[in-house]
Amino acid sequence: MDDSAFDALEDTFRYQGPEAVLDLVIAVAHREKNHRMLFGARIMQVRRRLGLPLIDTGLVPEVTDEQRPAYERALTEAARETGELLLVSGDIAAAWQYFKAIDAPAPVADAIQHVNEGENLDRIIEIAFREGVNRRKGFELILKHHGICSA
């Protein structure tokens, strides 16, 4: 984000409030295809709605039993949204971080099924074969790119 984006955020906060700032950050994240920023802004949104600090520095979020279902639902939705956008952009390895966090390997397994070569191939093989997301395709990729001895 450049200085004009920060000026826009400041003006938005001044005239429209914090929720509008988060909406603007989400719009900028979409436009810039900054998926990490999108995920962070989505989490900040739910934290704000639940009355929690926007940034949690603890290992485990301090949410009450009443807040937990909404927080976990929003976290799952944000991870799924971010993971799907990363898959659309072709970054299977980055998408896996988000889908793994919500225990939803199917979209990554489907994406791996269509991989034959490309960047991050060793990481994709690791996800597919060693992490068990799509073992058959992972094994095929090992055979094709590293040979029978590696398989």
Side-chain angles (χ1 to χ4, degrees), residues 37-52:
M37 181 171 39
L38 172 66
F39 181 77
R42 290 283 190 213
I43 299 307
M44 289 174 127
Q45 251 183 344
V46 71
R47 293 183 66 77
R48 183 175 187 304
R49 285 188 203 124
L50 293 174
L52 299 167

Side-chain angles (χ1 to χ4, degrees), residues 49-93:
R49 285 188 203 124
L50 293 174
L52 299 167
L54 293 183
I55 299 172
D56 188 10
T57 57
L59 294 176
V60 178
E62 292 184 27
V63 295
T64 66
D65 290 340
E66 295 81 31
Q67 295 169 322
R68 188 166 308 286
Y71 187 80
E72 289 177 356
R73 188 172 39 257
L75 183 67
T76 299
E77 290 169 5
R80 186 173 307 282
E81 176 186 17
T82 304
E84 287 171 355
L85 289 168
L86 286 161
L87 286 179
V88 166
S89 73
D91 194 344
I92 294 171

